[in-house]
Amino acid sequence: MAENKISYKEVLKESEYRKLLISTIINRFGDALDAVGFTWLVYQITHSGTWSAIIFALNILPNVIIQPFTGALVERLEKKKVIVITHFLRGFVLVAFFLIYLMGYANGWIMAGFTFVITTIEAFNMPAGNAFLPRVIKKEHITHGMSLNSTLSSAATLVGTGLAGVIIAAAGLKTIMIIDIITFFVAGVIIFTIKCEQMEENLEVIKSESYITTLKEGVNYIRSKQVLVNCIVIAVFLNMVLVPINALQAPLVSECYNLGSELLSVIGIAGSIGSILGSIMIPAISKKLSMKQTLIIFGMLMGLGVMVIPFGGMITDIVLIKYLFAGLCFTILTFTSSLIVGIFNITFVTNVDPKYLARATSVIVSAATAVMPIASMLVGWAKVRIETGTMITICGIGVIVLLVITMMINPELEPKKEMTNEVKVA
């Protein structure tokens, strides 16, 4: 088959896709700098862990309460314009915050407000970006294109995270903010230059409908596709059982490994490497395994990797071995999760009718994100009753149990032929 001969080199020959890829890399690099810089800035200004938690919650809240409704609105607009405008808007919002910071007026309330505004803008950007990708790349190149996009995004995040501390130490937080602002504008300009030959079908029809009708159509479309419903349910449960891994990294390092922040850095680097490796493997795995087989095989490996994470501090007192053990576990975790998520995204993008793509993206992201604050509260409640290591091991067992139940129920995770026939990318 022709698809078996496709290579990354061939995909990169598509000039408009290259522009989108470069824009994504620049954007992810800026986001990585911001993630480190803003986290440090919040604590530097407020000297409060409570404010850090509040601002973390505000980073999630718009995805839960706003994004389910933004997809229907984005569906009525030209996706390229939405992406460009949201990039520029975030840039201007950061400029405003930077000026307030320079004048010495920044405080917890102001940072919380700006966080909510920026995340709200991102709630429009994400569904637009997901719906725009199939319009700038050939259908037969989507698997390799999304894999390359994910791989280089992870690499940009790794580089940005690594450089953030160096930049802060050498040039200060102001430099981080300036670079972040520039990345938004540069990414927006690059997207603006993309020539999208594949016109947005049904846009005029959707515009003629009321917003409520567009929203209802999107919900009804998702409900009518059992594959999408099943994937959403599995994504929600996987997200829920993995929340403690992110929430308890610091206690894990301290209580289970008796080490400090150096191990956190090792975990972060190992996680990024795992994500990159998983993204690279997506085309090869997607050719050999179905979505269900990928979920079961690599999901089981993920569960085992999570289950044994706390044991690294028990098996040895040698620091280097502890680093290697924890690094290996987190590499397995991010390798398997990026592979599962990547193949899920490809299946999703290639089999959802393009005119519903933005709406479906909004619903799925919102559902998967909504469980995070609930799971975080449960983790906080359980933490005073259960040791960190025990809790993480239980999470690993939870992943395995979920997959065993999935095998027993055998839900439909592959698109039916008639669903595929609806796709009109070209």
Side-chain angles (χ1 to χ4, degrees), residues 3 32 55 61 71 133 141 159 162 166 170 198 206 213 221 234 242 260 266 269 278 329 347 349 375 398 421 423:
E3 188 174 344
I55 290 174
L61 195 59
L133 175 62
H141 290 169
V159 173
V166 177
Q198 300 176 31
I206 294 174
T213 300
Y221 176 81
I234 290 173
L242 291 176
V266 170
I269 293 170
C329 288
T347 303
V349 169
N421 290 337
V423 180

Side-chain angles (χ1 to χ4, degrees), residues 302-362:
M302 177 199 295
L304 290 172
V306 171
M307 193 168 64
V308 301
I309 287 174
F311 295 102
M314 304 177 190
I315 59 177
T316 181
D317 291 324
I318 301 172
V319 173
L320 179 59
I321 295 179
K322 289 183 178 182
Y323 284 160
L324 292 173
F325 187 90
L328 178 61
C329 288
F330 275 87
T331 300
I332 292 172
L333 169 61
T334 55
F335 170 80
T336 52
S337 61
S338 67
L339 195 57
I340 292 169
V341 170
I343 291 179
F344 168 80
N345 286 339
I346 291 167
T347 303
F348 175 76
V349 169
T350 54
N351 291 286
V352 171
D353 190 325
K355 69 180 181 180
Y356 294 106
L357 197 49
R359 283 170 278 184
T361 298
S362 295

Side-chain angles (χ1 to χ4, degrees), residues 25-60:
I25 292 170
I26 292 171
N27 198 23
R28 290 293 176 269
F29 176 75
D31 287 345
L33 292 180
D34 177 73
V36 176
F38 198 73
T39 300
W40 181 252
L41 182 65
V42 169
Y43 193 76
Q44 187 183 69
I45 290 177
T46 65
H47 301 289
S48 168
T50 301
W51 271 115
S52 297
I54 290 171
I55 290 174
F56 174 79
L58 289 173
N59 259 318
I60 298 174

Side-chain angles (χ1 to χ4, degrees), residues 22 27 52-53 59 86 92-93 131 146 158 164 169 175 226 239 250 258 310 356 360 391 401 426:
I22 292 169
N27 198 23
S52 297
N59 259 318
T86 51
F92 285 125
V93 170
M146 291 185 69
L158 175 60
T175 305
Q226 192 59 46
N239 218 14
N258 296 314
Y356 294 106
M391 198 181 308
V401 170

Side-chain angles (χ1 to χ4, degrees), residues 278 281-290 294 298 335 339 343:
M281 291 296 295
I282 287 172
I285 297 299
S286 64
K287 289 177 186 176
K288 297 181 181 299
L289 301 176
S290 67
T294 302
F298 291 98
F335 170 80
L339 195 57
I343 291 179

Side-chain angles (χ1 to χ4, degrees), residues 140-195:
E140 61 268 26
H141 290 169
I142 284 182
T143 297
H144 282 73
M146 291 185 69
S147 171
L148 188 59
N149 193 54
S150 178
T151 300
L152 296 182
S153 293
S154 296
T157 300
L158 175 60
V159 173
T161 303
L163 287 178
V166 177
I167 294 172
I168 291 172
L173 283 165
K174 294 176 185 176
T175 305
I176 290 283
M177 285 188 270
I178 291 171
I179 295 173
D180 192 27
I181 290 168
I182 292 172
T183 59
F184 278 125
F185 288 115
V186 172
V189 169
I190 293 174
I191 295 293
F192 181 76
T193 65
I194 292 177
K195 297 175 183 177

Side-chain angles (χ1 to χ4, degrees), residues 52-74:
S52 297
I54 290 171
I55 290 174
F56 174 79
L58 289 173
N59 259 318
I60 298 174
L61 195 59
N63 289 328
V64 177
I65 63 174
I66 296 175
Q67 190 151 299
F69 306 99
T70 61
L73 183 58
V74 168

